[in-house]
Amino acid sequence: NGNINQFGDYDQCLSVRHDQLGISGQYCLALIFVELRNSGDDPNLATVLDLAQSYQAMPSSFGDKATILPTFSTVSWGVCVPSGCSSSDVAMALTTALHSHNLTFDIHVEVDQDSCEVYRPRKLLQGGAFITLSIILSVFLIAVAGTFYEFSQLDKCGNAQKKNHNFIQKVMLAFSFRKNTMELLNTHTQKDEILCLHGIRFVFSVIIYVLHRAIFNMFWPATNRTNTAQLLESVWTMTFRSVWNNVDTFLVLSGVLTSYYTTRDLQAGRSLNIPAMYLRRYIKLVGSYQF
C-alpha cells in the first residue's frame, strides 16, 4: 500500500529497564533509502519498488533533511536497542543485516543521534514549556478580565456606554471575548470595501486546509499512500495539487489591498508614511507567525 514504515512500539521499548544490571531500552528511528541498481534488469522488481514508494509522488534523496512533507523514497524503521548503543552502532547493525540485499538494491542507512530516545523522568513544566504556558495563561486571564469589564460597562439595554477609557482599559477591551466575537460575526461592510475578496479568501483557505490535512494523513502508518497518490493525480484534485498557487493567492490579495488603500489615501490628499507602513506589516506578520 505504499507505506512500508515500521515504527515499532515506542512505549514498550522505553519501558524496558533493569536498574540492578543497568540495562534500559533505547528507541531509535532509522531512515533507510532504497533504490534499484539497474531498473532495466528486473522490471517486475522495479514495479514492486515503485508501488512500495507510492510512485515517488513525493521523492527524496539520501541525506535530505526532514521536512513537513512525507518522504515516500525513505523507509522509517523503529528499532529497540540497549541504551549503551550509539546511533552509529545501530546504523552499522542495520547495514550489516541488509547487506545480503545490496546485490539488487542500493541501500543506505542513516540514524541520527537526535532520533534515539531513552527513558528520562520528565517534569511537567520546565524551561520553554513553563514560559509558553505562562504567556497563554496571562492572555487568557486578560481576556476574562476584559470580558467582565465590558459587561460591567453595558447599560440596561445591553449597549456599550460611550466612555473615555485609559490605556489599561483599552488593552483589556481589546482581548474581551464578547467584543472579539461580535467583531468576527459582524457582517457590516464599509462603503469602499472590496466584497469579492472575502469569498476568494474563504475558498482558498478551505483548499489549503484540505490539502494540509491530506498531507499530514500520509504520515500515519495505516495510510494507503499508493491509493492516495493515485487520488491526487485525478483531474478533480488538480485544484488541491496547485498548493503554491493557492498560497500565492494570499500574497496577491495582500498586494491588491495595499495598493487599493494606498491609492485611496493619495487621492484623498493624505501623505504616505512608508516606514510606518512596513512596520505595521512586520508587526502583523511576525505576531501571526509566532502564534
Side-chain angles (χ1 to χ4, degrees):
N1 64 356
N3 197 338
I4 54 179
N5 295 324
Q6 298 293 330
F7 295 105
D9 195 321
Y10 177 85
D11 295 325
Q12 183 182 29
C13 179
L14 296 191
S15 65
V16 177
R17 291 189 300 275
H18 197 293
D19 296 334
Q20 294 180 353
L21 298 179
I23 298 176
S24 60
Q26 177 180 218
Y27 179 90
C28 291
L29 186 63
L31 300 180
I32 304 173
F33 184 78
V34 182
E35 62 180 352
L36 280 175
R37 291 184 180 274
N38 190 350
S39 58
D41 293 343
D42 194 338
N44 293 328
L45 192 58
T47 302
V48 172
L49 182 61
D50 197 33
L51 290 173
Q53 296 179 340
S54 304
Y55 305 111
Q56 295 285 344
M58 295 182 182
S60 60
S61 301
F62 179 71
D64 288 350
K65 298 300 181 182
T67 63
I68 62 172
L69 299 177
T71 55
F72 290 1
S73 305
T74 306
V75 181
S76 298
W77 272 7
V79 294
C80 188
V81 297
S83 58
C85 298
S86 64
S87 59
S88 58
D89 295 333
V90 178
M92 184 180 300
L94 287 176
T95 302
T96 303
L98 298 172
H99 177 71
S100 60
H101 300 284
N102 269 345
L103 298 177
T104 308
F105 299 100
D106 280 329
I107 301 177
H108 306 278
V109 180
E110 179 181 354
V111 182
D112 194 345
Q113 189 61 45
D114 293 335
S115 300
C116 294
E117 288 285 339
V118 295
Y119 173 78
R120 296 186 183 91
R122 296 181 180 179
K123 299 180 180 180
L124 293 178
L125 296 178
Q126 57 180 355
F130 177 78
I131 296 175
T132 302
L133 290 178
S134 299
I135 294 175
I136 294 175
L137 181 60
S138 300
V139 173
F140 177 76
L141 293 177
I142 294 174
V144 172
T147 304
F148 278 106
Y149 175 75
E150 184 178 8
F151 275 107
S152 67
Q153 300 299 310
L154 299 179
D155 56 21
K156 295 181 179 180
C157 298
N159 299 319
Q161 302 179 16
K162 294 184 178 180
K163 180 181 177 182
N164 293 327
H165 301 283
N166 57 37
F167 176 76
I168 296 178
Q169 292 170 340
K170 290 180 180 179
V171 172
M172 293 173 60
L173 290 175
F175 286 89
S176 170
F177 289 118
R178 179 182 181 275
K179 178 178 181 297
N180 286 284
T181 301
M182 294 179 63
E183 289 290 338
L184 289 174
L185 300 179
N186 185 16
T187 58
H188 177 72
T189 58
Q190 299 179 3
K191 182 179 179 180
D192 56 351
E193 192 171 357
I194 307 177
L195 299 180
C196 66
L197 295 185
H198 298 297
I200 296 174
R201 184 165 49 189
F202 172 77
V203 170
F204 282 95
S205 296
V206 172
I207 291 175
I208 292 175
Y209 173 78
V210 172
L211 179 65
H212 279 78
R213 290 301 306 172
I215 290 176
F216 289 125
N217 286 342
M218 294 182 185
F219 283 100
W220 295 355
T223 300
N224 191 320
R225 290 181 172 181
T226 303
N227 288 346
T228 304
Q230 293 174 341
L231 181 65
L232 291 176
E233 292 179 356
S234 303
V235 176
W236 67 273
T237 61
M238 182 176 61
T239 303
F240 299 96
R241 294 200 305 270
S242 56
V243 55
W244 307 123
N245 295 333
N246 297 332
V247 174
D248 290 345
T249 302
F250 289 93
L251 301 178
V252 174
L253 293 180
S254 178
V256 169
L257 290 174
T258 302
S259 302
Y260 175 73
Y261 288 115
T262 300
T263 304
R264 186 191 62 178
D265 292 339
L266 291 175
Q267 291 176 346
R270 290 188 289 267
S271 60
L272 295 179
N273 190 339
I274 302 298
M277 183 175 64
Y278 275 101
L279 180 61
R280 287 195 300 269
R281 295 295 299 172
Y282 175 79
I283 294 175
K284 181 178 180 180
L285 294 176
V286 170
S288 302
Y289 177 77
Q290 291 297 325
F291 289 97

